[in-house]
mmCIF file of all heavy atoms in Angstrom:
data_model
loop_
_atom_site.group_PDB
_atom_site.id
_atom_site.type_symbol
_atom_site.label_atom_id
_atom_site.label_comp_id
_atom_site.label_asym_id
_atom_site.label_seq_id
_atom_site.Cartn_x
_atom_site.Cartn_y
_atom_site.Cartn_z
ATOM 1 N N ARG A 21 28.811 -17.266 20.628
ATOM 2 C CA ARG A 21 28.525 -18.676 20.919
ATOM 3 C C ARG A 21 28.413 -19.506 19.651
ATOM 4 O O ARG A 21 28.718 -20.703 19.664
ATOM 5 C CB ARG A 21 27.227 -18.808 21.723
ATOM 6 C CG ARG A 21 27.342 -18.369 23.161
ATOM 7 C CD ARG A 21 26.164 -18.866 23.989
ATOM 8 N NE ARG A 21 24.905 -18.213 23.648
ATOM 9 C CZ ARG A 21 24.465 -17.092 24.221
ATOM 10 N NH1 ARG A 21 25.202 -16.486 25.141
ATOM 11 N NH2 ARG A 21 23.301 -16.581 23.880
ATOM 12 N N HIS A 22 27.971 -18.892 18.560
ATOM 13 C CA HIS A 22 27.612 -19.690 17.381
ATOM 14 C C HIS A 22 28.426 -19.380 16.119
ATOM 15 O O HIS A 22 28.273 -20.097 15.119
ATOM 16 C CB HIS A 22 26.130 -19.476 17.054
ATOM 17 C CG HIS A 22 25.209 -19.884 18.160
ATOM 18 N ND1 HIS A 22 24.959 -21.198 18.478
ATOM 19 C CD2 HIS A 22 24.492 -19.140 19.047
ATOM 20 C CE1 HIS A 22 24.115 -21.251 19.493
ATOM 21 N NE2 HIS A 22 23.816 -20.014 19.863
ATOM 22 N N GLY A 23 29.243 -18.347 16.139
ATOM 23 C CA GLY A 23 29.933 -17.984 14.907
ATOM 24 C C GLY A 23 31.299 -17.374 15.139
ATOM 25 O O GLY A 23 31.911 -17.537 16.203
ATOM 26 N N SER A 24 31.757 -16.635 14.150
ATOM 27 C CA SER A 24 33.105 -16.071 14.158
ATOM 28 C C SER A 24 33.262 -14.891 15.102
ATOM 29 O O SER A 24 34.372 -14.520 15.471
ATOM 30 C CB SER A 24 33.472 -15.622 12.739
ATOM 31 O OG SER A 24 32.702 -14.478 12.376
ATOM 32 N N GLY A 25 32.151 -14.244 15.460
ATOM 33 C CA GLY A 25 32.215 -13.019 16.249
ATOM 34 C C GLY A 25 32.331 -11.769 15.403
ATOM 35 O O GLY A 25 32.260 -10.655 15.919
ATOM 36 N N LEU A 26 32.493 -11.929 14.075
ATOM 37 C CA LEU A 26 32.613 -10.783 13.177
ATOM 38 C C LEU A 26 31.222 -10.268 12.805
ATOM 39 O O LEU A 26 30.328 -11.055 12.469
ATOM 40 C CB LEU A 26 33.359 -11.175 11.901
ATOM 41 C CG LEU A 26 34.787 -11.691 12.082
ATOM 42 C CD1 LEU A 26 35.349 -12.144 10.739
ATOM 43 C CD2 LEU A 26 35.672 -10.628 12.701
ATOM 44 N N THR A 27 31.041 -8.966 12.865
ATOM 45 C CA THR A 27 29.744 -8.366 12.516
ATOM 46 C C THR A 27 29.938 -7.210 11.547
ATOM 47 O O THR A 27 31.026 -6.650 11.418
ATOM 48 C CB THR A 27 29.014 -7.822 13.759
ATOM 49 O OG1 THR A 27 29.794 -6.758 14.332
ATOM 50 C CG2 THR A 27 28.809 -8.902 14.792
ATOM 51 N N ASN A 28 28.853 -6.857 10.886
ATOM 52 C CA ASN A 28 28.790 -5.659 10.059
ATOM 53 C C ASN A 28 27.552 -4.893 10.511
ATOM 54 O O ASN A 28 26.436 -5.351 10.332
ATOM 55 C CB ASN A 28 28.682 -6.044 8.580
ATOM 56 C CG ASN A 28 28.555 -4.844 7.663
ATOM 57 O OD1 ASN A 28 28.539 -3.700 8.111
ATOM 58 N ND2 ASN A 28 28.446 -5.101 6.363
ATOM 59 N N MET A 29 27.766 -3.740 11.098
ATOM 60 C CA MET A 29 26.648 -2.930 11.608
ATOM 61 C C MET A 29 26.552 -1.642 10.792
ATOM 62 O O MET A 29 27.200 -0.663 11.101
ATOM 63 C CB MET A 29 26.853 -2.601 13.081
ATOM 64 C CG MET A 29 27.068 -3.795 13.990
ATOM 65 S SD MET A 29 25.620 -4.817 14.250
ATOM 66 C CE MET A 29 24.821 -3.903 15.548
ATOM 67 N N HIS A 30 25.813 -1.599 9.726
ATOM 68 C CA HIS A 30 24.857 -2.590 9.252
ATOM 69 C C HIS A 30 25.078 -2.817 7.768
ATOM 70 O O HIS A 30 25.839 -2.090 7.133
ATOM 71 C CB HIS A 30 23.427 -2.103 9.481
ATOM 72 C CG HIS A 30 23.084 -1.867 10.915
ATOM 73 N ND1 HIS A 30 23.447 -0.740 11.603
ATOM 74 C CD2 HIS A 30 22.408 -2.634 11.805
ATOM 75 C CE1 HIS A 30 23.002 -0.807 12.838
ATOM 76 N NE2 HIS A 30 22.372 -1.947 13.002
ATOM 77 N N GLY A 31 24.365 -3.798 7.181
ATOM 78 C CA GLY A 31 24.441 -4.025 5.749
ATOM 79 C C GLY A 31 23.746 -2.919 4.982
ATOM 80 O O GLY A 31 23.061 -2.060 5.541
ATOM 81 N N SER A 32 23.878 -2.948 3.659
ATOM 82 C CA SER A 32 23.315 -1.877 2.822
ATOM 83 C C SER A 32 21.794 -1.827 2.902
ATOM 84 O O SER A 32 21.188 -0.769 2.697
ATOM 85 C CB SER A 32 23.756 -2.049 1.361
ATOM 86 O OG SER A 32 23.312 -3.285 0.851
ATOM 87 N N THR A 33 21.155 -2.954 3.198
ATOM 88 C CA THR A 33 19.706 -2.967 3.361
ATOM 89 C C THR A 33 19.300 -2.571 4.776
ATOM 90 O O THR A 33 18.152 -2.264 5.041
ATOM 91 C CB THR A 33 19.143 -4.360 3.011
ATOM 92 O OG1 THR A 33 19.564 -4.707 1.694
ATOM 93 C CG2 THR A 33 17.629 -4.381 3.045
ATOM 94 N N GLY A 34 20.253 -2.602 5.692
ATOM 95 C CA GLY A 34 19.968 -2.195 7.057
ATOM 96 C C GLY A 34 20.120 -3.281 8.092
ATOM 97 O O GLY A 34 20.121 -3.015 9.290
ATOM 98 N N ASP A 35 20.236 -4.543 7.634
ATOM 99 C CA ASP A 35 20.293 -5.656 8.584
ATOM 100 C C ASP A 35 21.555 -5.620 9.442
ATOM 101 O O ASP A 35 22.600 -5.116 9.034
ATOM 102 C CB ASP A 35 20.308 -6.996 7.830
ATOM 103 C CG ASP A 35 19.098 -7.191 6.962
ATOM 104 O OD1 ASP A 35 18.061 -7.607 7.478
ATOM 105 O OD2 ASP A 35 19.191 -6.936 5.745
ATOM 106 N N ILE A 36 21.442 -6.219 10.631
ATOM 107 C CA ILE A 36 22.621 -6.616 11.389
ATOM 108 C C ILE A 36 23.205 -7.816 10.638
ATOM 109 O O ILE A 36 22.482 -8.775 10.344
ATOM 110 C CB ILE A 36 22.240 -7.056 12.811
ATOM 111 C CG1 ILE A 36 21.405 -5.977 13.509
ATOM 112 C CG2 ILE A 36 23.460 -7.427 13.620
ATOM 113 C CD1 ILE A 36 20.564 -6.510 14.649
ATOM 114 N N VAL A 37 24.488 -7.784 10.319
ATOM 115 C CA VAL A 37 25.086 -8.854 9.532
ATOM 116 C C VAL A 37 26.075 -9.625 10.392
ATOM 117 O O VAL A 37 27.027 -9.052 10.935
ATOM 118 C CB VAL A 37 25.790 -8.291 8.273
ATOM 119 C CG1 VAL A 37 26.444 -9.426 7.485
ATOM 120 C CG2 VAL A 37 24.791 -7.555 7.393
ATOM 121 N N PHE A 38 25.836 -10.924 10.525
ATOM 122 C CA PHE A 38 26.761 -11.834 11.203
ATOM 123 C C PHE A 38 27.572 -12.549 10.133
ATOM 124 O O PHE A 38 27.019 -13.261 9.290
ATOM 125 C CB PHE A 38 25.999 -12.870 12.035
ATOM 126 C CG PHE A 38 25.355 -12.318 13.284
ATOM 127 C CD1 PHE A 38 24.443 -13.083 13.997
ATOM 128 C CD2 PHE A 38 25.669 -11.062 13.765
ATOM 129 C CE1 PHE A 38 23.863 -12.601 15.160
ATOM 130 C CE2 PHE A 38 25.094 -10.561 14.918
ATOM 131 C CZ PHE A 38 24.180 -11.332 15.618
ATOM 132 N N LEU A 39 28.889 -12.388 10.176
ATOM 133 C CA LEU A 39 29.765 -12.909 9.135
ATOM 134 C C LEU A 39 30.487 -14.160 9.610
ATOM 135 O O LEU A 39 31.385 -14.076 10.460
ATOM 136 C CB LEU A 39 30.800 -11.851 8.733
ATOM 137 C CG LEU A 39 30.258 -10.595 8.055
ATOM 138 C CD1 LEU A 39 31.312 -9.495 8.070
ATOM 139 C CD2 LEU A 39 29.862 -10.910 6.632
ATOM 140 N N GLY A 40 30.088 -15.315 9.087
ATOM 141 C CA GLY A 40 30.874 -16.511 9.300
ATOM 142 C C GLY A 40 30.397 -17.484 10.347
ATOM 143 O O GLY A 40 30.711 -17.352 11.519
ATOM 144 N N SER A 41 29.609 -18.485 9.917
ATOM 145 C CA SER A 41 29.267 -19.596 10.810
ATOM 146 C C SER A 41 29.377 -20.900 10.034
ATOM 147 O O SER A 41 29.348 -20.914 8.796
ATOM 148 C CB SER A 41 27.848 -19.454 11.360
ATOM 149 O OG SER A 41 26.879 -19.955 10.445
ATOM 150 N N THR A 42 29.489 -21.994 10.745
ATOM 151 C CA THR A 42 29.448 -23.306 10.103
ATOM 152 C C THR A 42 27.998 -23.681 9.824
ATOM 153 O O THR A 42 27.063 -23.089 10.372
ATOM 154 C CB THR A 42 30.085 -24.373 11.015
ATOM 155 O OG1 THR A 42 29.315 -24.454 12.222
ATOM 156 C CG2 THR A 42 31.526 -24.013 11.341
ATOM 157 N N THR A 43 27.812 -24.687 8.999
ATOM 158 C CA THR A 43 26.460 -25.143 8.675
ATOM 159 C C THR A 43 25.759 -25.698 9.912
ATOM 160 O O THR A 43 24.560 -25.496 10.112
ATOM 161 C CB THR A 43 26.522 -26.222 7.577
ATOM 162 O OG1 THR A 43 27.207 -25.692 6.432
ATOM 163 C CG2 THR A 43 25.118 -26.668 7.167
ATOM 164 N N GLU A 44 26.518 -26.369 10.779
ATOM 165 C CA GLU A 44 25.944 -26.999 11.966
ATOM 166 C C GLU A 44 25.377 -25.974 12.952
ATOM 167 O O GLU A 44 24.492 -26.302 13.753
ATOM 168 C CB GLU A 44 26.995 -27.850 12.682
ATOM 169 C CG GLU A 44 27.475 -29.063 11.906
ATOM 170 C CD GLU A 44 28.412 -28.702 10.766
ATOM 171 O OE1 GLU A 44 29.012 -27.605 10.812
ATOM 172 O OE2 GLU A 44 28.539 -29.519 9.827
ATOM 173 N N GLU A 45 25.851 -24.732 12.897
ATOM 174 C CA GLU A 45 25.423 -23.715 13.851
ATOM 175 C C GLU A 45 24.245 -22.869 13.357
ATOM 176 O O GLU A 45 23.774 -22.000 14.086
ATOM 177 C CB GLU A 45 26.596 -22.797 14.206
ATOM 178 C CG GLU A 45 27.647 -23.432 15.088
ATOM 179 C CD GLU A 45 27.126 -23.776 16.476
ATOM 180 O OE1 GLU A 45 26.156 -23.127 16.935
ATOM 181 O OE2 GLU A 45 27.685 -24.696 17.104
ATOM 182 N N ILE A 46 23.758 -23.115 12.152
ATOM 183 C CA ILE A 46 22.691 -22.273 11.604
ATOM 184 C C ILE A 46 21.423 -22.362 12.440
ATOM 185 O O ILE A 46 20.852 -21.340 12.857
ATOM 186 C CB ILE A 46 22.411 -22.639 10.130
ATOM 187 C CG1 ILE A 46 23.587 -22.232 9.247
ATOM 188 C CG2 ILE A 46 21.122 -21.967 9.636
ATOM 189 C CD1 ILE A 46 23.445 -22.651 7.793
ATOM 190 N N GLU A 47 20.941 -23.566 12.688
ATOM 191 C CA GLU A 47 19.705 -23.731 13.459
ATOM 192 C C GLU A 47 19.869 -23.316 14.928
ATOM 193 O O GLU A 47 19.005 -22.625 15.473
ATOM 194 C CB GLU A 47 19.198 -25.173 13.360
ATOM 195 C CG GLU A 47 18.542 -25.522 12.026
ATOM 196 C CD GLU A 47 17.158 -24.894 11.857
ATOM 197 O OE1 GLU A 47 16.651 -24.267 12.810
ATOM 198 O OE2 GLU A 47 16.596 -25.020 10.757
ATOM 199 N N PRO A 48 20.956 -23.713 15.604
ATOM 200 C CA PRO A 48 21.132 -23.257 16.992
ATOM 201 C C PRO A 48 21.201 -21.735 17.111
ATOM 202 O O PRO A 48 20.674 -21.158 18.071
ATOM 203 C CB PRO A 48 22.453 -23.915 17.409
ATOM 204 C CG PRO A 48 22.567 -25.126 16.543
ATOM 205 C CD PRO A 48 21.962 -24.734 15.236
ATOM 206 N N LEU A 49 21.842 -21.083 16.148
ATOM 207 C CA LEU A 49 21.906 -19.619 16.170
ATOM 208 C C LEU A 49 20.514 -19.017 16.048
ATOM 209 O O LEU A 49 20.140 -18.100 16.799
ATOM 210 C CB LEU A 49 22.791 -19.117 15.035
ATOM 211 C CG LEU A 49 22.738 -17.607 14.754
ATOM 212 C CD1 LEU A 49 23.258 -16.811 15.942
ATOM 213 C CD2 LEU A 49 23.515 -17.256 13.495
ATOM 214 N N PHE A 50 19.721 -19.543 15.122
ATOM 215 C CA PHE A 50 18.366 -19.027 14.920
ATOM 216 C C PHE A 50 17.518 -19.224 16.177
ATOM 217 O O PHE A 50 16.776 -18.324 16.588
ATOM 218 C CB PHE A 50 17.728 -19.734 13.723
ATOM 219 C CG PHE A 50 16.308 -19.318 13.450
ATOM 220 C CD1 PHE A 50 16.001 -18.009 13.112
ATOM 221 C CD2 PHE A 50 15.270 -20.236 13.531
ATOM 222 C CE1 PHE A 50 14.691 -17.619 12.860
ATOM 223 C CE2 PHE A 50 13.966 -19.864 13.279
ATOM 224 C CZ PHE A 50 13.670 -18.550 12.946
ATOM 225 N N ALA A 51 17.649 -20.376 16.802
ATOM 226 C CA ALA A 51 16.894 -20.640 18.032
ATOM 227 C C ALA A 51 17.287 -19.668 19.132
ATOM 228 O O ALA A 51 16.434 -19.171 19.880
ATOM 229 C CB ALA A 51 17.124 -22.084 18.478
ATOM 230 N N ASP A 52 18.572 -19.377 19.227
ATOM 231 C CA ASP A 52 19.065 -18.441 20.241
ATOM 232 C C ASP A 52 18.564 -17.021 19.964
ATOM 233 O O ASP A 52 18.180 -16.286 20.879
ATOM 234 C CB ASP A 52 20.591 -18.474 20.263
ATOM 235 C CG ASP A 52 21.162 -18.276 21.662
ATOM 236 O OD1 ASP A 52 20.392 -17.910 22.567
ATOM 237 O OD2 ASP A 52 22.377 -18.481 21.851
ATOM 238 N N LEU A 53 18.563 -16.629 18.707
ATOM 239 C CA LEU A 53 18.075 -15.294 18.341
ATOM 240 C C LEU A 53 16.592 -15.135 18.678
ATOM 241 O O LEU A 53 16.181 -14.145 19.297
ATOM 242 C CB LEU A 53 18.297 -15.040 16.844
ATOM 243 C CG LEU A 53 19.715 -14.717 16.389
ATOM 244 C CD1 LEU A 53 19.798 -14.745 14.859
ATOM 245 C CD2 LEU A 53 20.163 -13.351 16.900
ATOM 246 N N THR A 54 15.784 -16.095 18.261
ATOM 247 C CA THR A 54 14.344 -15.985 18.496
ATOM 248 C C THR A 54 14.006 -16.051 19.986
ATOM 249 O O THR A 54 13.059 -15.402 20.440
ATOM 250 C CB THR A 54 13.576 -17.084 17.742
ATOM 251 O OG1 THR A 54 14.104 -18.369 18.100
ATOM 252 C CG2 THR A 54 13.712 -16.906 16.241
ATOM 253 N N LYS A 55 14.792 -16.804 20.741
ATOM 254 C CA LYS A 55 14.591 -16.868 22.186
ATOM 255 C C LYS A 55 14.738 -15.487 22.822
ATOM 256 O O LYS A 55 14.052 -15.158 23.805
ATOM 257 C CB LYS A 55 15.598 -17.842 22.792
ATOM 258 C CG LYS A 55 15.553 -17.928 24.312
ATOM 259 C CD LYS A 55 16.633 -18.874 24.831
ATOM 260 C CE LYS A 55 16.662 -18.887 26.351
ATOM 261 N NZ LYS A 55 17.746 -19.782 26.862
ATOM 262 N N HIS A 56 15.595 -14.657 22.238
ATOM 263 C CA HIS A 56 15.851 -13.326 22.790
ATOM 264 C C HIS A 56 15.131 -12.216 22.019
ATOM 265 O O HIS A 56 15.454 -11.030 22.155
ATOM 266 C CB HIS A 56 17.357 -13.051 22.804
ATOM 267 C CG HIS A 56 18.107 -13.878 23.808
ATOM 268 N ND1 HIS A 56 18.600 -15.140 23.514
ATOM 269 C CD2 HIS A 56 18.427 -13.640 25.115
ATOM 270 C CE1 HIS A 56 19.205 -15.638 24.579
ATOM 271 N NE2 HIS A 56 19.111 -14.752 25.563
ATOM 272 N N GLY A 57 14.160 -12.596 21.175
ATOM 273 C CA GLY A 57 13.301 -11.605 20.539
ATOM 274 C C GLY A 57 13.773 -11.067 19.208
ATOM 275 O O GLY A 57 13.224 -10.085 18.698
ATOM 276 N N PHE A 58 14.772 -11.712 18.596
ATOM 277 C CA PHE A 58 15.255 -11.273 17.289
ATOM 278 C C PHE A 58 14.806 -12.249 16.211
ATOM 279 O O PHE A 58 14.461 -13.393 16.485
ATOM 280 C CB PHE A 58 16.785 -11.166 17.289
ATOM 281 C CG PHE A 58 17.314 -10.063 18.173
ATOM 282 C CD1 PHE A 58 17.706 -10.336 19.479
ATOM 283 C CD2 PHE A 58 17.400 -8.760 17.714
ATOM 284 C CE1 PHE A 58 18.186 -9.334 20.301
ATOM 285 C CE2 PHE A 58 17.868 -7.749 18.528
ATOM 286 C CZ PHE A 58 18.267 -8.032 19.825
ATOM 287 N N ASP A 59 14.833 -11.781 14.969
ATOM 288 C CA ASP A 59 14.432 -12.614 13.835
ATOM 289 C C ASP A 59 15.411 -12.388 12.696
ATOM 290 O O ASP A 59 16.115 -11.371 12.644
ATOM 291 C CB ASP A 59 13.009 -12.242 13.386
ATOM 292 C CG ASP A 59 12.388 -13.290 12.475
ATOM 293 O OD1 ASP A 59 13.011 -14.352 12.259
ATOM 294 O OD2 ASP A 59 11.285 -13.036 11.964
ATOM 295 N N LEU A 60 15.435 -13.317 11.754
ATOM 296 C CA LEU A 60 16.268 -13.140 10.576
ATOM 297 C C LEU A 60 15.649 -12.106 9.640
ATOM 298 O O LEU A 60 14.432 -11.899 9.623
ATOM 299 C CB LEU A 60 16.443 -14.468 9.836
ATOM 300 C CG LEU A 60 17.247 -15.558 10.545
ATOM 301 C CD1 LEU A 60 17.332 -16.795 9.663
ATOM 302 C CD2 LEU A 60 18.645 -15.064 10.908
ATOM 303 N N GLY A 61 16.479 -11.479 8.833
ATOM 304 C CA GLY A 61 16.014 -10.547 7.818
ATOM 305 C C GLY A 61 15.829 -11.242 6.480
ATOM 306 O O GLY A 61 15.774 -12.468 6.396
ATOM 307 N N GLY A 62 15.747 -10.455 5.427
ATOM 308 C CA GLY A 62 15.477 -11.002 4.108
ATOM 309 C C GLY A 62 16.731 -11.174 3.275
ATOM 310 O O GLY A 62 17.695 -10.431 3.403
ATOM 311 N N SER A 63 16.714 -12.179 2.409
ATOM 312 C CA SER A 63 17.760 -12.368 1.407
ATOM 313 C C SER A 63 17.150 -13.167 0.266
ATOM 314 O O SER A 63 16.113 -13.804 0.423
ATOM 315 C CB SER A 63 18.977 -13.098 1.983
ATOM 316 O OG SER A 63 18.661 -14.442 2.292
ATOM 317 N N GLY A 64 17.787 -13.121 -0.882
ATOM 318 C CA GLY A 64 17.250 -13.833 -2.028
ATOM 319 C C GLY A 64 16.121 -13.064 -2.692
ATOM 320 O O GLY A 64 15.970 -11.849 -2.531
ATOM 321 N N SER A 65 15.286 -13.771 -3.443
ATOM 322 C CA SER A 65 14.229 -13.144 -4.240
ATOM 323 C C SER A 65 12.971 -12.930 -3.411
ATOM 324 O O SER A 65 11.913 -13.513 -3.667
ATOM 325 C CB SER A 65 13.938 -14.000 -5.471
ATOM 326 O OG SER A 65 15.073 -14.071 -6.302
#
């Protein structure tokens, strides 16, 4: 619904990786994930 449909199961840290969304879909994707009990993982420092 929100991105390219491409995934990486899993990244080197273990996360589910969703590859490829537009900037406009970032917040709607997060809202959809949290609605279904998922959360974002870590990145950066």
Side-chain angles (χ1 to χ4, degrees):
R21 287 195 291 270
H22 300 287
S24 70
L26 300 175
T27 64
N28 178 0
M29 305 289 277
H30 299 80
S32 60
T33 305
D35 301 278
I36 307 158
V37 178
F38 288 168
L39 294 164
S41 83
T42 62
T43 304
E44 294 74 22
E45 288 295 335
I46 291 176
E47 285 287 355
L49 168 64
F50 178 62
D52 215 349
L53 284 170
T54 55
K55 176 183 176 182
H56 290 88
F58 293 95
D59 195 5
L60 293 181
S63 68
S65 297

